[in-house]
Amino acid sequence: MKERETIQSRSRASALRFRINGVFIIALLCVFAVAGCQEEGDGFSFLDGLGEKDPLSKDERMEWWRDARFGMFIHWGLYAIPAGEWNGKQIPGIGEWIMERADIPVSEYEKLAGQFNPVKFNANEWVRIAKNAGMKYIVITSKHHDGFCLWDSQVSEYDVMDASPYKRDILKALSKACKKHKIKLCFYHSIMDWHHPDAQAPFYPNYNDRNRTNPNFADYAENYMKPQLKELIDNYGPLGVLWFDGEWIKDWTEPQGKDLYNYVLSLQPNIIINNRVGKGRKGMEGLSKSEDDAGDFGTPEQQIPAKGLPGVDWESCMTMNDTWGYKSFDHNWKSTEDLIRKLADIASKGGNFLLNVGPTAEGLIPEPSVERLTAIGEWMDINAESVYGTAASPIGEVPWGRCTAKPGKLYLHVFDWPTNGRLAVPGLLEFKVKKAYLLADKKHKRLPLVLVSQNEMMLTVPEAAPDPINSVVVLEVEQ
Ligand code: FHN
């Protein structure tokens, strides 16, 4: 008996030693892992893998996103093949809606999968284009409303591996490239699905019928959509954002949205989820109706809120022409000037800018988009400090452009450079200006300044604008 006790206590002691050694080894591995992350500065937090036991606060989850301010939206799928044309006719409206707009039956549309062979797709090149533009994250359509999946889904045959001749996992390639280039990968995922028989497929020829329901929808949501989201998080993560859309269908409710929000967080506790997971968004204005609505940030679409929204997280998503998915005949491109100023406008109101590209069926980002992104990148090379990690203007609206802020600094984005070399800066009541300089001037040479009133300061600036689109003047301030 005693002997047995001794053997048991000896084995308990050695088990304890083993556990202590194990804990020590795990702790050591964690230290190395943290050191490794820091050394590489890979943009992924140490907390990425630890979330399960220690849920983060919303502020902690949102930190990288608030800092990033600028991301790339990618709408890519089978719709890039017709590129806006069906049966020889140019179909009006956005390209990724061609299945709905041209009344294409599921059996016809799904044949496009057999032609999807984007041999020029290069994930590293796409990520490089985003990174060079100064973008910090990419949101790509894992599945748009047409239901086609850009990854190897285990619950569907309607995906790039099983249904297309390309047979390469696009999201896997992007996930690797994003890790390599330290860009956060995020997925857009449509709740509405025009291909699935338990979702909106039976609604043909009006897939977007807002008054119809499918009695099997709950089955689709539980046994198709949720498993797909788990695949995306488990096999392609950790993800930055899950960006839902297509939530306006009659079959979707706010309680379902809240359930989905919690489900996604249970899979990856530090993930960020947009407000289209539930029913809270106010149309294209995109902001949530109430704080109780599901989702971490508002999603204005093709518009920028008129005023700054202190304390509210939001992201304006926008196209560069008039379509999200590629259309060969849409040449209505926004100018570089417009896009750079929109970026400053959005940052000055405390939001993020998610700027879209719609790659071709071959897998190329259209040249006009690349040209604009390159120009934005050149502006960001000099001025990124006035965008990343900034907050909304604390001095209200300014007549010549926009203002962004960081603790101790105001960034004046001057769109209309004064022809007389004098820039009046209003709204400074709360601030004592210590120094002013041009962000483009590496030496930070002081610009002369005089206080004209308690509220307004006059800066003497060079006659020629450092940048004809947006020259940034930095004010070092005390509050
Ligand atoms: O219907 C979609 C549309 O195709 C596109 O994906 C945009 C992007 O925000 N969202 C929807 C409309 O709100």
Side-chain angles (χ1 to χ4, degrees):
M1 178 76 174
K2 236 188 182 163
E3 198 180 45
R4 231 167 73 206
E5 267 174 18
T6 325
I7 291 170
Q8 275 179 354
S9 58
R10 246 190 252 138
S11 62
R12 263 201 304 270
S14 74
L16 191 66
R17 256 200 315 277
F18 179 73
R19 240 179 283 144
I20 290 170
N21 285 342
V23 169
F24 179 70
I25 290 166
I26 289 167
L28 211 65
L29 285 174
C30 286
V31 170
F32 284 138
V34 175
C37 280
Q38 279 168 351
E39 204 173 307
E40 283 179 25
D42 64 1
F44 289 92
S45 143
F46 169 57
L47 293 164
D48 279 342
L50 287 185
E52 258 159 42
K53 279 169 210 131
D54 244 339
L56 303 182
S57 68
K58 182 170 175 195
D59 281 341
E60 284 170 319
R61 281 190 295 122
M62 298 301 289
E63 200 180 318
W64 73 263
W65 186 90
R66 288 174 185 159
D67 192 68
R69 287 282 170 253
F70 192 27
M72 176 183 271
F73 215 173
I74 306 180
H75 276 71
W76 200 36
L78 298 182
Y79 39 82
I81 300 170
E85 279 186 50
W86 198 254
N87 288 337
K89 276 201 207 119
Q90 294 193 344
I91 308 297
I94 40 184
E96 71 285 1
W97 271 66
I98 195 164
M99 182 177 176
E100 221 271 344
R101 294 271 155 85
D103 293 341
I104 309 172
V106 170
S107 55
E108 276 301 300
Y109 187 86
E110 66 184 7
K111 284 186 196 148
L112 290 171
Q115 297 170 43
F116 191 68
N117 195 18
V119 288
K120 296 194 177 156
F121 167 63
N122 179 334
N124 280 306
E125 182 61 8
W126 284 16
V127 175
R128 198 191 55 74
I129 291 170
K131 191 167 177 160
N132 285 353
M135 293 159 152
K136 297 276 194 180
Y137 57 107
I138 289 178
V139 184
I140 181 164
T141 47
S142 42
K143 185 194 80 163
H144 203 266
H145 310 328
D146 68 356
F148 185 71
C149 304
L150 289 187
W151 81 101
D152 187 14
S153 175
Q154 301 309 300
V155 293
S156 179
E157 302 266 282
Y158 197 44
D159 69 38
V160 67
M161 298 296 276
D162 299 318
S164 88
Y166 188 60
K167 297 212 181 307
R168 264 171 265 167
D169 188 326
I170 283 156
L171 299 189
K172 190 51 90 184
L174 272 170
S175 162
K176 282 189 190 148
C178 282
K179 282 198 175 114
K180 183 169 156 198
H181 297 281
K182 299 156 188 30
I183 291 281
K184 291 267 188 193
L185 179 64
C186 314
F187 292 142
Y188 165 111
H189 204 81
S190 176
I191 294 169
M192 175 160 79
D193 190 317
W194 300 334
H195 182 266
H196 201 288
D198 294 335
Q200 286 71 43
F203 299 2
Y204 169 82
N206 187 5
Y207 298 112
N208 190 37
D209 191 332
R210 285 170 182 253
N211 299 313
R212 265 185 87 169
T213 55
N214 186 327
N216 302 326
F217 188 80
D219 202 40
Y220 155 82
E222 286 303 313
N223 301 320
Y224 186 79
M225 187 172 69
K226 279 187 176 175
Q228 287 207 325
L229 294 168
K230 183 164 164 47
E231 290 175 10
L232 290 171
I233 289 173
D234 287 354
N235 305 334
Y236 304 84
L239 301 179
V241 177
L242 254 176
W243 209 106
F244 288 99
D245 204 2
E247 85 291 6
W248 57 84
I249 50 173
K250 200 171 178 195
D251 270 310
W252 198 244
T253 62
E254 180 62 18
Q256 280 169 303
K258 290 205 166 76
D259 168 72
L260 187 60
Y261 179 85
N262 290 329
Y263 174 70
V264 170
L265 271 181
S266 77
L267 298 173
Q268 190 192 311
N270 64 349
I271 204 165
I272 296 170
I273 303 161
N274 71 339
N275 68 344
R276 299 187 187 185
V277 68
K279 300 288 268 197
R281 79 154 147 152
K282 287 186 257 171
M284 295 302 181
E285 185 195 314
L287 300 168
S288 296
K289 290 174 207 144
S290 119
E291 272 189 19
D292 294 336
D293 291 323
D296 296 316
F297 64 92
T299 50
E301 180 165 329
Q302 302 285 36
Q303 55 186 283
I304 301 171
K307 297 221 174 286
L309 301 156
V312 179
D313 292 304
W314 56 275
E315 177 194 63
S316 274
C317 57
M318 218 170 267
T319 51
M320 282 197 218
N321 51 356
D322 292 327
T323 181
W324 303 92
Y326 179 67
K327 268 180 97 169
S328 59
F329 51 94
D330 182 340
H331 306 297
N332 191 25
W333 298 97
K334 294 179 181 70
S335 68
T336 299
E337 172 182 295
D338 189 13
L339 294 170
I340 288 176
R341 290 182 177 179
K342 279 188 160 75
L343 176 61
D345 185 22
I346 290 168
S348 80
K349 291 168 179 165
N352 281 17
F353 192 19
L354 186 63
L355 185 56
N356 185 71
V357 297
T360 65
E362 284 186 302
L364 295 176
I365 297 181
E367 206 39 49
S369 300
V370 178
E371 277 165 25
R372 280 155 183 78
L373 291 171
T374 306
I376 296 172
E378 283 161 9
W379 183 86
M380 285 290 273
D381 282 345
I382 294 166
N383 299 295
E385 183 194 319
S386 66
V387 174
Y388 298 145
T390 56
S393 167
I395 61 169
E397 287 173 27
V398 285
W400 30 254
R402 300 290 181 270
C403 171
T404 56
K406 270 184 203 166
K409 279 184 183 167
L410 298 180
Y411 298 96
L412 313 178
H413 297 253
V414 188
F415 301 167
D416 304 318
W417 194 254
T419 45
N420 62 359
R422 287 158 76 76
L423 184 77
V425 189
L428 290 171
L429 207 52
E430 284 176 33
F431 298 97
K432 188 173 157 212
V433 181
K434 294 189 295 181
K435 183 179 175 182
Y437 57 89
L438 298 172
L439 192 49
D441 173 14
K442 285 200 182 107
K443 293 189 179 137
H444 292 185
K445 197 170 141 246
R446 272 174 192 278
L447 296 174
L449 52 95
V450 282
L451 215 55
V452 250
S453 74
Q454 226 192 347
N455 195 30
E456 188 170 281
M457 202 190 61
M458 190 65 78
L459 275 177
T460 305
V461 294
E463 255 170 51
D467 188 306
I469 295 176
N470 177 3
S471 308
V472 179
V473 177
V474 185
L475 300 185
E476 286 182 356
V477 293
E478 260 170 24
Q479 232 170 334

